[in-house]
Amino acid sequence: MHDSHVHDVLVVGGGPGGLTAAIYLRRFTRDVALVDKGNSRLRLIPVSHNYPGFPDGVPGTTLLGNLTAQLERYGGTITHGEILDLRIENGVFVADCLPEGAPDDARCEIRAHTVLLATGVADAGLPIEMWREAIAFGSVRLCPVCDGFDVMDKHIAVATSEVNPVGHALFMRTFSAEVTLFERMSPTSLTDDDRRRLAAAGVRLVDSPLLSVTLDASMKPVLHTEDGQEHGADVFYPMLGENARSGLAAKLGAETAQCEEIVVDVHGATSVPGLYAIGDVTVGLNQIAVATGQAARAATHIHNRLPPALRMGSTRPPSLGTTM
């Protein structure tokens, strides 16, 4: 299907960043198309306690629902589906969209002057039993910055990551005196300096590579290492590693960095004119508040760069006033 209509902006991704950007753009009276595949990490979060304005915390699904309702209030809609390809034709972005549940030959084209990517990241793998249930229960957690305070004084297990093998375990010592770091690599990825830093901070190190994680009867994690040992903990941070969902931008020649994250300027602009990116798909701190802040800045910049959206005059008859 081919549609000659050209939207002001195509937003790809319906997480907190994409929805916030679409809300701003609709309030600027912009013609916005938003396509969401339904992979927002926010859906995994049982309760977020560090998002401003919710002193008792807010479930991820509730926050997504509130943002969706707010977008709809301003006439915005979400197309559930996937953008399979993005290209530029005659100075206009053209996206191939496959609606959710539709056969492959039912894809359609969406045209836009500007594209904003809020596509997030994909977590790398580590065998964890009942993955979603463990996250919902709080025994497996994904973000030390988000919820370190919420596991105060618990026995915290952390796995090494490729980029920063000991940094997350050292960070968690802020919240607990009982932190154990599990090596993921064989041979070890740790340097002598890493080991000295761990020892100085009182972090216990398990050198035998971590193979898998199961849950005991109380839903607490049990970590299984290559030497056949089992290690219990109250909560586990797998530090899975991640790859940004930046393929659409990379195909157009946008600059990317480590973990395929998109390089953007302070307005969210990529190295491709008219292409913007916000949230976890970009280089920076992966936080809901960061994504929504970036969305506000990018949406405002996009609005100001597009041709003016001039308001038409009122159709009401002019007031004649009062005669004396």
Side-chain angles (χ1 to χ4, degrees), residues 119-193:
T119 44
V121 296
D123 291 311
L126 176 69
I128 299 177
E129 180 184 40
M130 297 173 63
W131 163 255
R132 290 184 176 275
E133 293 85 351
I135 292 176
F137 189 80
S139 53
V140 172
R141 294 173 179 259
L142 302 178
C143 179
V145 173
C146 302
D147 53 30
F149 185 90
D150 303 323
V151 295
M152 193 77 70
D153 294 328
K154 293 183 180 295
H155 180 187
I156 302 168
V158 183
T160 58
S161 61
E162 292 184 17
V163 177
N164 188 11
V166 302
H168 297 104
L170 295 173
F171 178 78
M172 294 310 297
R173 278 290 284 112
T174 302
F175 308 105
S176 177
E178 198 172 357
V179 177
T180 302
L181 178 63
F182 288 82
E183 175 62 279
R184 195 196 303 258
M185 308 299 175
S186 180
T188 181
S189 62
L190 303 187
T191 65
D192 290 341
D193 183 61

Side-chain angles (χ1 to χ4, degrees), residues 245-264:
R245 298 189 180 102
S246 58
L248 295 173
K251 184 179 179 238
L252 290 176
E255 181 184 355
T256 58
Q258 195 169 43
C259 300
E260 303 173 16
E261 293 176 327
I262 303 171
V263 178
V264 296

Side-chain angles (χ1 to χ4, degrees), residues 174-222:
T174 302
F175 308 105
S176 177
E178 198 172 357
V179 177
T180 302
L181 178 63
F182 288 82
E183 175 62 279
R184 195 196 303 258
M185 308 299 175
S186 180
T188 181
S189 62
L190 303 187
T191 65
D192 290 341
D193 183 61
D194 289 333
R195 293 173 182 274
R196 283 191 291 269
R197 292 168 65 199
L198 292 172
V203 175
R204 175 175 171 248
L205 174 63
V206 176
D207 274 309
S208 183
L210 179 62
L211 297 181
S212 64
V213 180
T214 58
L215 303 173
D216 65 16
S218 62
M219 290 291 288
K220 289 185 177 181
V222 179

Side-chain angles (χ1 to χ4, degrees), residues 22 78 87 112 142 227 240 259 265 293:
I78 299 175
R87 58 194 179 277
L142 302 178
D227 59 6
L240 296 169
C259 300
D265 68 10

Side-chain angles (χ1 to χ4, degrees), residues 1-5 87 94 96 107-109 111:
M1 296 175 59
H2 301 277
D3 187 351
S4 60
H5 176 73
R87 58 194 179 277
V94 181
D96 288 341
R107 62 176 67 185
C108 59
E109 288 185 351
R111 299 174 183 270

